[in-house]
């Protein structure tokens, strides 16, 4: 009788242990499942946030491209016109010393000149006796002036003149760079006078 009672108590204790293990296992599964759901939720939130950030950056870049694109197309058209004129006119393939080229150069300088500027002198540098020695300074110099008074107050007129010459032919073909050598303002008889000189380099 005593042995049966001990076996009964042992069986009851085993069942309690088993029930505790099942509960612990179930609780562990619940914790793991909950942690997995939390991680998936946070991952989804992070991916959604990154997608929104990239979408905003993409929209900003597209806006900048849209604002710059018209200016790029304008420059491409300008360059295209210049290249077509070069190919169509045989005069630009002639040596610069020919009278026809100098005549065309002076015509282009006149066309590129803003109405408020006055040219006083156009001259080229003298040829050096030693051909192997390169002389410094511009190959062609344009000097002039303007008065800054009344409706004529554009102090950027010299820069505009230079920009016009950069797209002028045959000047842009014969000269690789145009620099503002002198651009100073001083007072002359109660008027402001701007004196300038442009240097054209081969």
């Amino acid at each position: 009788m005593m042995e049966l009672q001990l076996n009964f108590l042992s069986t009851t204790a085993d069942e309690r242990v088993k029930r505790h293990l099942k509960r612990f296992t179930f609780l562990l599964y619940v914790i793991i499942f909950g942690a997995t759901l939390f991680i998936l939720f946070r991952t989804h939130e992070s991916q959604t946030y990154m997608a929104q950030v990239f979408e905003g950056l993409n929209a900003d870049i597209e806006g900048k491209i849209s604002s710059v694109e018209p200016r790029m197309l304008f420059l491409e058209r300008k360059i295209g016109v210049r290249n077509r004129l070069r190919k169509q006119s045989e005069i630009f393939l002639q040596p610069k010393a020919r009278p026809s080229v100098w005549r065309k150069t002076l015509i282009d300088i006149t066309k590129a000149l803003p109405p408020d500027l006055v040219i006083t002198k156009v001259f080229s540098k003298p040829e050096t006796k030693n051909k192997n020695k390169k002389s410094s300074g511009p190959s062609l110099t344009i000097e002039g002036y303007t008065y800054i008074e009344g409706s004529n107050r554009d102090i950027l007129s010299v820069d505009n003149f230079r920009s016009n010459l950069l797209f002028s032919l045959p000047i842009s073909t014969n000269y690789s760079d145009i620099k503002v050598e002198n651009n100073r303002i001083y007072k002359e008889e109660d008027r402001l006078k701007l004196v300038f000189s442009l240097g054209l380099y081969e």
Side-chain angles (χ1 to χ4, degrees), residues 7 18 33 55 114-115 119 125 137 141 147 150 155 168 181-182:
N7 287 337
K18 288 179 181 179
F33 182 72
E55 185 177 354
I119 294 178
K125 68 179 179 181
T141 302
Y147 288 103
I155 62 174
S168 179
E181 303 291 338
N182 179 27

Side-chain angles (χ1 to χ4, degrees), residues 128-196:
T128 56
K129 294 181 180 179
N130 187 0
K131 294 183 179 180
N132 296 325
K133 184 180 179 181
K134 293 184 179 180
S135 60
S136 59
S139 301
L140 185 70
T141 302
I142 303 172
E143 293 183 354
Y145 70 91
T146 183
Y147 288 103
I148 304 176
E149 60 181 359
S151 60
N152 177 24
R153 293 187 176 273
D154 186 9
I155 62 174
L156 300 177
S157 55
V158 177
D159 291 326
N160 295 334
F161 184 32
R162 175 182 173 276
S163 299
N164 294 337
L165 290 175
L166 287 174
F167 287 99
S168 179
L169 294 173
I171 292 175
S172 60
T173 304
N174 295 331
Y175 302 97
S176 61
D177 193 17
I178 302 175
K179 297 180 180 178
V180 179
E181 303 291 338
N182 179 27
N183 190 13
R184 59 190 180 88
I185 300 174
Y186 64 92
K187 200 167 187 181
E188 182 184 84
E189 296 180 356
D190 297 330
R191 294 194 298 176
L192 292 178
K193 185 176 183 180
L194 185 149
V195 178
F196 71 92

Side-chain angles (χ1 to χ4, degrees), residues 1-39:
M1 184 70 179
M2 181 67 117
E3 185 176 351
L4 289 174
Q5 191 174 8
L6 290 173
N7 287 337
F8 176 76
L9 292 174
S10 176
T11 302
T12 304
D14 290 341
E15 289 179 356
R16 287 177 180 174
V17 171
K18 288 179 181 179
R19 282 198 300 268
H20 283 301
L21 286 174
K22 285 182 180 179
R23 290 174 182 171
F24 178 75
T25 303
F26 177 75
L27 181 61
L28 186 62
Y29 283 152
V30 169
I31 293 173
I32 293 174
F33 182 72
T36 303
L37 287 178
F38 178 76
I39 292 172

Side-chain angles (χ1 to χ4, degrees), residues 93-115:
L93 301 177
Q94 298 179 5
K96 289 183 296 183
R98 294 190 179 185
S100 59
V101 177
W102 274 105
R103 177 177 175 275
K104 186 65 175 68
T105 299
L106 293 175
I107 291 174
D108 282 351
I109 291 174
T110 304
K111 288 182 178 179
L113 184 69

